[in-house]
């Protein structure tokens, strides 16, 4: 399984890291005793609470011990309540959706608007799956009609087909913290883009100190977004933390490099949801911990 690193592949000396019996921990007060008595984890998984199970399970296949430490949570954005009005009052050639959270928020606004007919372009298999319940029903008003050749926003911006040669209107419901590469890339190609910041992310603040200390002992932290990465660096800002970071894809890895991290690993096939994609992300984690000798042959 192919993956990339900003450094040469890291192979620790024999015995540096050991596989531990699989145990699942979550950040919070109930875990104080577990955190103080548990062996050091091999990897810290940091997505929002309830969204780490697939990666934990993929790592457990290789006897890699995970510590769950949610670093961010999603909250309403400044345009959350505008979405349904915009969908009700205007028509768009495309709706571009770039994450499962953006998809979930969009569906709420779309249903509140009376489920108007829309054509969706998605980034990633996991994002597309959020729409399965609607697309598999008898209601044909929502169609997932396009996905780029690589699950990246800049690729979507370069490949999205024009359904109208004269004026192609795109609605882009996004995180308030998302970059501008999609709207800028589409605008440069002549699309008329309306962006709505329908949600945002905030760091989790109630991290139990003993759990955080256990997390900092792990050789790898796995992050799924630049926001999660910044939240982690803020938590460890007072210590000299320079271990490895396994990123979900190239965008997060680029953010890690800009933030000064050196040992950065990421899969060449980005994405999370779906058995194959979650294994892609698990690959760099396995490699950097040294717990799997032949990642390509085992994942």
């Amino acid at each position: 399984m192919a993956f990339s690193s900003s450094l040469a592949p890291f192979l620790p000396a024999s015995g540096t890291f050991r596989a531990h019996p699989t145990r699942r921990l979550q950040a919070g007060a109930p875990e104080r005793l577990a955190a103080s008595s548990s062996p050091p984890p091999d990897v810290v998984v940091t997505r929002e609470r309830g969204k780490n199970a697939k990666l934990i399970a993929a790592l457990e296949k290789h006897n890699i011990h995970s510590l769950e430490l949610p670093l961010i949570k999603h909250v309403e954005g400044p345009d959350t309540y505008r979405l349904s009005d915009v969908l009700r009052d205007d028509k768009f050639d495309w709706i571009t959706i770039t994450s499962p959270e953006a998809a979930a928020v969009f569906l709420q606004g779309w249903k509140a608007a009376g489920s108007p007919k829309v054509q969706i372009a998605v980034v990633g298999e996991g994002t597309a799956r959020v729409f399965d319940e609607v697309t598999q029903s008898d209601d044909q008003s929502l169609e997932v009609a396009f996905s780029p050749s690589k699950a990246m926003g800049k690729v979507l911006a370069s490949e999205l087909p024009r359904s109208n040669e004269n004026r192609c209107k795109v609605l882009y419901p996004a995180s308030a913290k998302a970059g501008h590469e999609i709207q800028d890339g589409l605008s440069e190609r002549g699309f008329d883009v309306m962006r709505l910041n329908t949600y945002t992310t905030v760091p989790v603040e109630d991290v139990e100190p003993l759990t955080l200390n256990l997390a900092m002992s792990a050789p790898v932290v796995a992050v799924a977004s630049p926001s999660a990465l910044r939240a982690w660096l803020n938590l460890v800002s007072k210590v000299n933390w320079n271990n490895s970071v396994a990123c979900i894809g190239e965008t997060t890895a680029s953010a890690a490099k800009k933030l000064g991290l050196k040992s950065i690993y990421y899969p060449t096939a980005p994405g999370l949801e779906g058995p194959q994609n979650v294994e892609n992300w698990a690959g760099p984690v396995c490699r950097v911990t040294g717990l799997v000798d032949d990642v390509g042959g085992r994942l």
Side-chain angles (χ1 to χ4, degrees):
M1 189 61 61
F3 66 93
S4 299
S5 168
S6 62
L7 300 179
F10 174 70
L11 292 175
S14 176
T16 301
F17 304 117
R18 295 178 296 109
H20 304 293
T22 54
R23 300 175 64 180
R24 298 186 186 184
L25 297 176
Q26 295 180 341
E31 284 75 34
R32 283 192 182 96
L33 182 59
S36 62
S37 60
S38 295
D42 300 307
V43 59
V44 180
V45 294
T46 62
R47 295 188 81 206
E48 307 91 291
R49 187 170 298 283
K51 295 185 179 180
N52 290 296
K54 290 184 179 180
L55 181 58
I56 290 173
L59 294 170
E60 282 179 349
K61 293 179 183 178
H62 306 288
N63 203 25
I64 292 178
H65 171 57
S66 300
L67 170 66
E68 184 177 21
L69 179 63
L71 292 179
I72 62 170
K73 57 185 177 181
H74 291 120
V75 297
E76 292 177 348
D79 298 326
T80 301
Y81 296 103
R82 287 187 58 203
L83 178 60
S84 58
D85 289 339
V86 169
L87 288 170
R88 190 181 297 113
D89 297 339
D90 207 345
K91 294 186 180 299
F92 298 89
D93 297 283
W94 288 105
I95 314 290
T96 58
I97 305 291
T98 61
S99 72
E101 185 65 22
V105 174
F106 172 79
L107 279 177
Q108 292 178 355
W110 176 74
K111 291 175 181 178
S115 303
K117 187 174 181 62
V118 291
Q119 184 171 245
I120 307 292
V122 300
V123 173
E125 185 179 328
T127 303
R129 188 169 289 113
V130 177
F131 294 105
D132 280 353
E133 182 178 349
V134 175
T135 57
Q136 293 173 8
S137 69
D138 293 333
D139 185 350
Q140 301 297 313
S141 58
L142 186 150
E143 178 188 8
V144 177
F146 177 78
S147 181
S149 60
K150 190 173 183 179
M152 297 180 67
K154 63 181 180 182
V155 180
L156 181 142
S158 67
E159 295 181 350
L160 186 69
R162 294 182 65 90
S163 55
N164 187 326
E165 290 299 326
N166 297 320
R167 185 167 180 254
C168 195
K169 295 181 65 176
V170 176
L171 177 64
Y172 174 34
S175 165
K177 295 185 177 179
H180 296 271
E181 61 184 9
I182 289 180
Q183 64 200 81
D184 290 348
L186 290 174
S187 295
E188 289 173 2
R189 293 180 55 208
F191 287 82
D192 181 3
V193 183
M194 174 186 286
R195 172 171 174 163
L196 294 180
N197 293 321
T198 55
Y199 71 100
T200 190
T201 57
V202 296
V204 172
E205 298 177 350
D206 55 345
V207 177
E208 208 280 323
L210 288 176
T211 304
L212 178 59
N213 288 336
L214 190 60
M216 289 191 293
S217 72
V220 190
V221 171
V223 292
S225 69
S227 294
L229 181 62
R230 287 189 290 269
W232 171 253
L233 293 179
N234 183 60
L235 286 174
V236 300
S237 61
K238 296 181 180 180
V239 300
N240 184 26
W241 186 87
N242 57 4
N243 290 351
S244 299
V245 56
C247 301
I248 194 172
E250 187 176 340
T251 299
T252 304
S254 296
K257 186 175 181 180
K258 290 178 181 178
L259 289 167
L261 295 176
K262 302 299 181 183
S263 186
I264 305 165
Y265 294 76
Y266 63 97
T268 55
L272 177 66
E273 307 299 336
Q276 186 61 42
N277 285 341
V278 77
E279 292 280 17
N280 287 345
W281 194 21
V285 178
C286 293
R287 184 67 166 133
V288 74
T289 56
L291 296 175
V292 178
D293 294 329
D294 179 9
V295 175
R298 294 281 294 278
L299 292 184

